């Protein structure tokens, strides 16, 4: 029986969560690749790079710390081929939220 599955990367700052996720995404996109799929490894890596450009910062513990939470969903057909993907991103640090002053 097929069922939805989830992987959650957890750890302290600098423990390699982003790297691990990137390698997992690369593996799944390569193994489940379909010539007719609109989702390619190149597209996934490009989206990851764009999100990292806006969501990383230098901290005391890590020169490239991820400051956002991302939910990456990979969708497979019944034969196990990758057919679509989506990313939801959340900026959870209140100090980094910019707001417009009154007036």
């Amino acid at each position: 029986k097929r069922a939805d599955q989830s992987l959650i990367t957890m750890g302290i700052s600098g423990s390699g969560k982003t790297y691990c996720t990137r390698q997992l995404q690369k593996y799944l996109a390569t193994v489940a690749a379909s010539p007719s799929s609109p989702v390619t490894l190149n597209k996934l890596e490009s989206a990851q790079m764009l999100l990292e450009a806006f969501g990383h910062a230098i901290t005391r513990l890590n020169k490239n710390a991820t400051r956002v939470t991302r939910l990456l969903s990979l969708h497979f057909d019944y034969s196990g081929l990758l057919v679509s993907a989506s990313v939801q991103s959340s900026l959870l640090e209140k100090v980094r939220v910019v707001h417009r002053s009154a007036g």
Side-chain angles (χ1 to χ4, degrees):
K1 180 181 175 185
R2 297 180 187 270
D4 291 344
Q5 297 184 22
S6 300
L7 292 168
I8 299 172
T9 54
M10 295 172 43
I12 62 171
S13 181
S15 64
K17 297 176 295 291
T18 300
Y19 178 79
C20 179
T21 302
R22 201 178 307 133
Q23 293 303 312
L24 178 62
Q25 157 185 312
K26 185 176 184 177
Y27 172 77
L28 290 173
T30 302
V31 170
S34 165
S36 61
S37 175
V39 180
T40 64
L41 178 58
N42 187 36
K43 286 181 181 179
L44 287 173
E45 288 177 339
S46 296
Q48 181 84 8
M49 192 180 324
L50 180 66
L51 290 170
E52 288 178 5
F54 289 101
H56 282 197
I58 296 173
T59 66
R60 286 183 291 128
L61 298 174
N62 189 346
K63 293 181 181 178
N64 197 27
T66 304
R67 308 314 322 157
V68 296
T69 298
R70 287 187 298 266
L71 173 62
L72 170 66
S73 298
L74 300 175
H75 310 276
F76 302 89
D77 65 10
Y78 285 102
S79 63
L81 296 176
L82 183 60
V83 292
S84 68
S86 65
V87 179
Q88 296 175 7
S89 184
S90 301
L91 179 61
L92 301 176
E93 290 185 344
K94 189 175 183 179
V95 71
R96 296 186 184 279
V97 176
V98 178
H99 62 277
R100 193 177 350 176
S101 56

